[in-house]
Amino acid sequence: AQSVAQPEDQVNVAEGNPLTVKCTYSVSGNPYLFWYVQYPNRGLQFLLKYITGDNLVKGSYGFEAEFNKSQTSFHLKKPSALVSDSALYFCAVRDLGSGTYKYIFGTGTRLKVLA
Amino acid sequence: KAGVTQTPRYLIKTRGQQVTLSCSPISGHRSVSWYQQTPGQGLQFLFEYFSETQRNKGNFPGRFSGRQFSNSRSEMNVSTLELGDSALYLCASSLAPPLAGGLGADTQYFGPGTRLTVL
């Protein structure tokens, strides 16, 4: 069955330091992988996606993510965190091998960037 | 280009009542999905519509239903409300479902949500 795991409920990082938010997935076919961010009382905002091609994907607001097929991971990264990056981050997968193509979301990771 | 709009933004109902939520997708987008977000369960997929047809359905009881109109606007309905239905209901639109519109056409863009409180 398809699944997405975000092993950390919360990640704390000092402003200016690099940040990583982890995501691993399990699918039966080739995955489409996505990262979204949610600010308080807002819907989700699209950050970046991996469909095919280069394993390093660059997205909005300086974020990037690396697709690692052997480790079935798609970790979100940013070289230098900002206080304004503090938000809830969701990883999602579409399993093209399942036949249903449902979006499956992780449980979310709260990122706190400390000034 | 206007984003996804959802109405109403906030709703308070009592147990046993029914509710209808509305979603207008981004202009040109034909696929609409609905999600329920709660602190305990995270984001749970409800259903996905494309060209007025339900293409996917999540694991929710039959009290949850939806539809899509010819202009791609969508509504979801919850009947016989229960306390556990209190949640943020999110709508997302995309150009097309996977494979129907080419690579990447199914990137979903979310509305601000409707906060439903059941008393």
Side-chain angles (χ1 to χ4, degrees), chain B residues 11-84:
Chain B
L11 208 46
I12 298 175
K13 292 285 187 179
T14 56
R15 278 180 298 174
Q17 287 187 308
Q18 76 162 20
V19 66
T20 299
L21 311 182
S22 181
C23 171
S24 292
I26 292 172
S27 177
H29 284 194
R30 295 168 60 197
S31 180
V32 173
S33 297
W34 288 90
Y35 296 86
Q36 181 195 66
Q37 186 179 17
T38 58
Q41 299 294 320
L43 268 158
Q44 301 288 314
F45 170 75
L46 280 156
F47 18 68
E48 178 179 19
Y49 288 88
F50 177 68
S51 294
E52 303 177 67
T53 302
Q54 188 180 89
R55 289 177 57 97
N56 269 314
K57 191 176 189 305
N59 298 323
F60 278 82
R63 299 186 296 108
F64 292 81
S65 63
R67 59 178 176 168
Q68 187 181 34
F69 302 95
S70 57
N71 61 358
S72 296
R73 191 177 70 84
S74 177
E75 288 181 347
M76 67 163 279
N77 184 278
V78 188
S79 62
T80 320
L81 283 166
E82 300 177 0
L83 294 179

Side-chain angles (χ1 to χ4, degrees), chain A residues 3-7 22-26 91 106-107:
Chain A
S3 65
V4 176
Q6 292 182 244
K22 295 179 181 176
C23 172
T24 58
Y25 64 91
S26 174
C91 180
T107 50

Side-chain angles (χ1 to χ4, degrees), chain A residues 32 34 36 38 41-46 49 51-52 88 90 94 96 99-107, chain B residues 9 35 37 43 45 48 55-59 88 90 97-99 103-104 106-112 115:
Chain A
Y32 282 3
F34 301 81
Y36 287 87
Q38 185 177 35
N41 301 314
R42 303 282 295 276
L44 276 67
Q45 293 181 32
F46 169 74
K49 65 187 175 192
I51 294 175
T52 187
L88 187 57
F90 289 95
R94 282 259 216 196
L96 300 192
T100 62
Y101 313 129
K102 289 181 187 179
Y103 249 90
I104 305 295
F105 280 83
T107 50
Chain B
R9 291 293 309 278
Y35 296 86
Q37 186 179 17
L43 268 158
F45 170 75
E48 178 179 19
R55 289 177 57 97
N56 269 314
K57 191 176 189 305
N59 298 323
L88 181 67
L90 292 165
L99 307 183
L103 290 177
D106 76 323
T107 298
Q108 295 192 331
Y109 296 89
F110 285 78
R115 172 77 59 188

Side-chain angles (χ1 to χ4, degrees), chain A residues 1-105:
Chain A
Q2 321 168 60
S3 65
V4 176
Q6 292 182 244
E8 301 153 318
D9 289 337
Q10 180 158 321
V11 169
N12 295 328
V13 64
E15 188 175 29
N17 282 3
L19 69 88
T20 298
V21 183
K22 295 179 181 176
C23 172
T24 58
Y25 64 91
S26 174
V27 298
S28 56
N30 290 324
Y32 282 3
L33 293 155
F34 301 81
W35 275 102
Y36 287 87
V37 59
Q38 185 177 35
Y39 297 98
N41 301 314
R42 303 282 295 276
L44 276 67
Q45 293 181 32
F46 169 74
L47 277 179
L48 51 78
K49 65 187 175 192
Y50 171 83
I51 294 175
T52 187
D54 195 350
N55 289 346
L56 184 64
V57 179
K58 293 189 183 296
S60 307
Y61 313 120
F63 285 94
E64 58 188 30
E66 186 163 14
F67 171 63
N68 188 316
K69 189 171 183 177
S70 62
Q71 297 185 5
T72 60
S73 67
F74 190 57
H75 301 330
L76 181 70
K77 300 183 180 187
K78 188 173 182 182
S80 178
L82 299 172
V83 172
S84 56
D85 293 331
S86 298
L88 187 57
Y89 290 81
F90 289 95
C91 180
V93 66
R94 282 259 216 196
D95 181 0
L96 300 192
S98 69
T100 62
Y101 313 129
K102 289 181 187 179
Y103 249 90
I104 305 295
F105 280 83

